[in-house]
Amino acid sequence: MDLKIAGKVAVVTGSGRGIGAQTVRTLAEEGARVVVTDINEETARETAARLSADGHEAIGVKCDVCRREDVDALVAAATKAYGGVDILVNNAGFTRDQYLGKMSEDDWDAVVDTIIKGAFHCSRAVLPGMMQKRWGRIVNIASRSVFGNPGQTNYTTAKLGLVGFTRALSLEQAKFGITVNAIAPGFVETELMRSLPTYERLRDGALARNPVGFLGQPGDIADAVAFIASERARYITGVTLYVTGGRFSS
């Protein structure tokens, strides 16, 4: 199926590694020109270089999505290189797990700000160009954790907030030909996940609760993003697509 995104310009935040890195690769393989962004400049540039070496159009840009000036510079770089931004994937985020009674304010703020404020800064920065073209795709990476996970009040709050953000923004932007949707992954086997000391326990628990009997890979999420970001999904907006293998509750 031709997704009709060849030549479109896609920015994926937090795309130096993991799900984000696979997402920029999948979009590039569909013909999009991609902007790899990461708070670690070296990681962003290395990922972009690998894509370029494989024949794709890609640049790497350092960006802390919590800083408006960084986001403005990111959009300026994308505009200078490729003429604007057609697709934004708000993927940047991380966990700092702790029961609430022991959670520091810094751990709360870091997680919530990166996910929510990051989506705010990035979406607001790309909207004028999308509105002018009367075409755009914003895809927010939520999580199955919106149903609640112990020790993740910060992460669950942020991801559920992102679902609300998705619904509200979709209603604002539909008349401009801009769709806004969310993808909510379940347990995905990334390099970061496999590096955790509790990986085997988490993996076994996820497998026991997963109806399809296997765990997700970064490509499963990237494929869903590519479709939702495509012209083929023009009639879909304001929805959250759960890519979880059928697992919802913890």
Side-chain angles (χ1 to χ4, degrees), residues 21 97 103 109 166 198:
D97 296 352
M103 184 178 292
D109 288 345
T166 298
T198 57

Side-chain angles (χ1 to χ4, degrees), residues 28-202:
E29 289 172 350
E30 291 292 336
R33 296 172 288 173
V34 298
V35 181
V36 181
T37 79
D38 201 277
I39 197 168
N40 184 312
E41 183 174 10
E42 183 179 1
T43 301
R45 294 192 183 279
E46 287 177 351
T47 300
R50 286 194 293 271
L51 290 168
S52 297
D54 290 338
H56 305 298
E57 292 188 73
I59 59 171
V61 181
K62 177 183 178 180
C63 182
D64 179 350
V65 296
C66 294
R67 295 169 54 87
R68 179 178 177 179
E69 54 268 37
D70 276 23
V71 172
D72 289 344
L74 165 64
V75 174
T79 301
K80 181 179 179 180
Y82 301 131
V85 178
D86 303 299
I87 298 166
L88 168 66
V89 183
N90 286 310
N91 171 71
F94 53 84
T95 60
R96 287 190 183 174
D97 296 352
Q98 184 59 268
Y99 285 103
L100 187 64
K102 297 180 179 180
M103 184 178 292
S104 71
E105 185 174 352
D106 285 345
D107 284 348
W108 177 274
D109 288 345
V111 171
V112 173
D113 283 358
T114 299
I115 295 169
I116 294 293
K117 187 176 286 187
F120 163 71
H121 282 319
C122 293
S123 300
R124 189 173 63 169
V126 303
L127 279 173
M130 291 180 176
M131 292 168 71
Q132 185 175 13
K133 296 176 186 177
R134 301 192 73 82
W135 197 97
R137 299 288 184 266
I138 296 176
V139 184
N140 299 314
I141 304 302
S143 171
R144 187 208 58 79
S145 71
V146 297
F147 296 103
N149 282 331
Q152 288 193 328
T153 52
N154 50 1
Y155 189 72
T156 293
T157 298
K159 291 298 190 178
L160 189 54
L162 200 56
V163 170
F165 177 88
T166 298
R167 291 174 180 169
L169 188 59
S170 71
L171 296 175
E172 293 181 11
Q173 297 303 317
K175 63 185 176 183
F176 298 107
I178 301 167
T179 68
V180 187
N181 294 289
I183 302 291
F187 189 101
V188 177
E189 288 192 295
T190 62
E191 290 181 14
L192 178 61
M193 183 65 73
R194 285 191 290 268
S195 72
L196 296 175
T198 57
Y199 166 69
E200 291 186 0
R201 177 176 60 81
L202 293 171

